[in-house]
Amino acid sequence: MSEGSGRVEILRRSIEAQAAPPQWVFVVAAVLAAVTVLSDRLWPVARHVITIAHEGGHALAAVASGRRLAGVRLHSDTSGVTVSSGRPTGPGVIATVAAGYPTPSLIGLGAAALLATGRTSLVLQLCVAMLLAMLVVIRNGFGVMSLVVSTAAILAVSWFAPPTARAGFAAYVACFLLLGGLRPVVEVQRQRRRRRGRDSDPDQLARLTGLPPGFWVGLFGLTGLACLAGGGGLLFG
């Protein structure tokens, strides 16, 4: 094979490596993700992943807005708390509190954009990077265990799974985040109707901004739906 032919072959393989996975991979991943989110048996376990993303959003917004991040705790009941210090009012604390619910959907949208261009490995690498970053700020044992287990699962798929399985897993993660980001919004609204969860993010934002909690629930829901529509368009369009 000549040098020119060899370069063409390398370029061809590079293009194939960047090609998006077959459409059926996305379809299967989306179905499995929907089953996970809608199942009352699977959701309580899978929701821990959403909580990790949710609290990660709070932590990132706190740091980005100049607040001092004290740490993050993840609990076995799928709840979590992010503690930061700084001004008790103002844009910084508002951004920190508001960042939680949209983050899983936004991460899912970003993953879908990468998958649509065939960057499966990059999706998994970024997931590992985000989990390791969270591990630095976790302050309780259950949180550490959750992050270690999640990281180990992604690394195992990255190292040992065949390409199609890796693509399917990455697509499942993207679809799960897009769909799973919406269910907590529904749940927090149900809790509010039952006059529970008065310390929820929407209620805290209402006290900080003067806007009603329903406004924030609606905003979170619209953000999640927009990400779902955008991610679906990228994966299936």
Side-chain angles (χ1 to χ4, degrees):
M1 180 182 294
S2 67
E3 182 178 354
S5 299
R7 290 178 179 175
V8 170
E9 179 65 16
I10 292 173
L11 179 60
R12 182 186 67 80
R13 292 180 179 179
S14 176
I15 293 173
E16 288 178 351
Q18 292 294 319
Q23 193 79 157
W24 67 265
V25 173
F26 293 153
V27 172
V28 172
V31 171
L32 292 177
V35 170
T36 304
V37 172
L38 295 175
S39 171
D40 290 334
R41 291 187 176 183
L42 298 176
W43 175 247
V45 178
R47 197 188 193 284
H48 288 289
V49 175
I50 301 297
T51 302
I52 291 172
H54 180 110
E55 299 303 330
H58 286 314
L60 179 60
V63 173
S65 62
R67 296 178 63 80
R68 183 177 178 181
L69 180 63
V72 177
R73 300 176 70 88
L74 304 173
H75 303 136
S76 58
D77 63 355
T78 74
S79 66
V81 60
T82 298
V83 179
S84 65
S85 59
R87 289 185 58 188
T89 59
V93 68
I94 293 172
T96 299
V97 178
Y101 280 99
T103 297
S105 297
L106 291 171
I107 296 175
L109 178 60
L114 292 174
L115 284 169
T117 57
R119 293 177 171 83
T120 299
S121 296
L122 183 57
V123 171
L124 299 179
Q125 291 165 5
L126 289 174
C127 286
V128 170
M130 287 186 287
L131 290 170
L132 293 178
M134 279 285 290
L135 192 59
V136 175
V137 298
I138 285 294
R139 297 293 182 265
N140 68 321
F142 182 83
V144 171
M145 183 186 69
S146 297
L147 291 170
V148 169
V149 169
S150 300
T151 303
I154 296 174
L155 288 176
V157 172
S158 300
W159 291 341
F160 303 115
T164 301
R166 282 200 306 271
F169 180 78
Y172 171 81
V173 170
C175 293
F176 173 72
L177 289 170
L178 289 168
L179 293 168
L182 286 168
R183 181 160 176 172
V185 179
V186 176
E187 291 174 345
V188 75
Q189 180 60 16
R190 287 177 178 172
Q191 291 174 353
R192 294 195 67 262
R193 286 179 178 176
R194 298 169 184 170
R195 300 189 179 279
R196 301 176 183 175
R198 291 304 180 181
D199 289 327
S200 67
D201 291 358
D203 288 283
Q204 292 183 51
L205 288 166
R207 292 191 289 270
L208 288 167
T209 65
L211 296 171
F215 168 84
W216 293 103
V217 174
L219 181 61
F220 296 151
L222 289 174
T223 302
L225 289 173
C227 289
L228 179 61
L234 289 167
L235 294 176
F236 302 106

